[in-house]
Amino acid sequence: GQLAQVLTEGHEALRHLTTCPADALPKIVLIDLDVGGADGRALLGALGPAGLLAHMKVLVMSSRAAENDIRLALDLGAADVIRKPFPITLLLHRIHRQLAA
């Protein structure tokens, strides 16, 4: 199977995830809230109502991760929030931790 897929636009990502068979859904989704043109908050907020959070973990990345941003991301269903910039080893650790949970 495919190890990773990069989708750079929120609507494209939501369309892909909602049309994907359940057994082909990713185990983990990384959402960058700082990507221009793609509304990461809207994507995260749409995953729960679409029933997708039952099939995957969401890790949110953001450089503007103030307490309110973190709380909102967690309330919307994120499993974890990581502040940018971060070392790649920390990102890999957080991914492995979510996959093992």
Side-chain angles (χ1 to χ4, degrees):
Q2 191 172 1
L3 288 179
Q5 184 170 4
V6 177
L7 300 168
T8 59
E9 204 280 317
H11 295 295
E12 174 190 7
L14 184 60
R15 183 172 47 254
H16 172 74
L17 292 170
T18 55
T19 59
C20 203
D23 62 345
L25 285 168
K27 293 179 182 176
I28 194 159
V29 172
L30 303 175
I31 297 177
D32 188 341
L33 297 184
D34 301 331
V35 174
D39 188 352
R41 281 190 184 94
L43 173 58
L44 179 59
L47 294 177
L52 295 169
L53 292 178
H55 302 281
M56 66 183 67
K57 303 279 182 135
V58 176
L59 179 72
V60 169
M61 303 172 287
S62 179
S63 61
R64 57 179 188 236
E67 185 175 342
N68 288 341
D69 295 316
I70 294 169
R71 187 178 318 116
L72 176 62
L74 295 172
D75 287 347
L76 289 174
D80 200 356
V81 178
I82 186 169
R83 290 184 185 176
K84 297 189 310 186
F86 51 81
I88 191 68
T89 53
L90 178 61
L91 177 62
L92 293 174
H93 172 76
R94 298 275 184 99
I95 290 171
H96 287 291
R97 186 173 70 186
Q98 290 304 320
L99 291 174

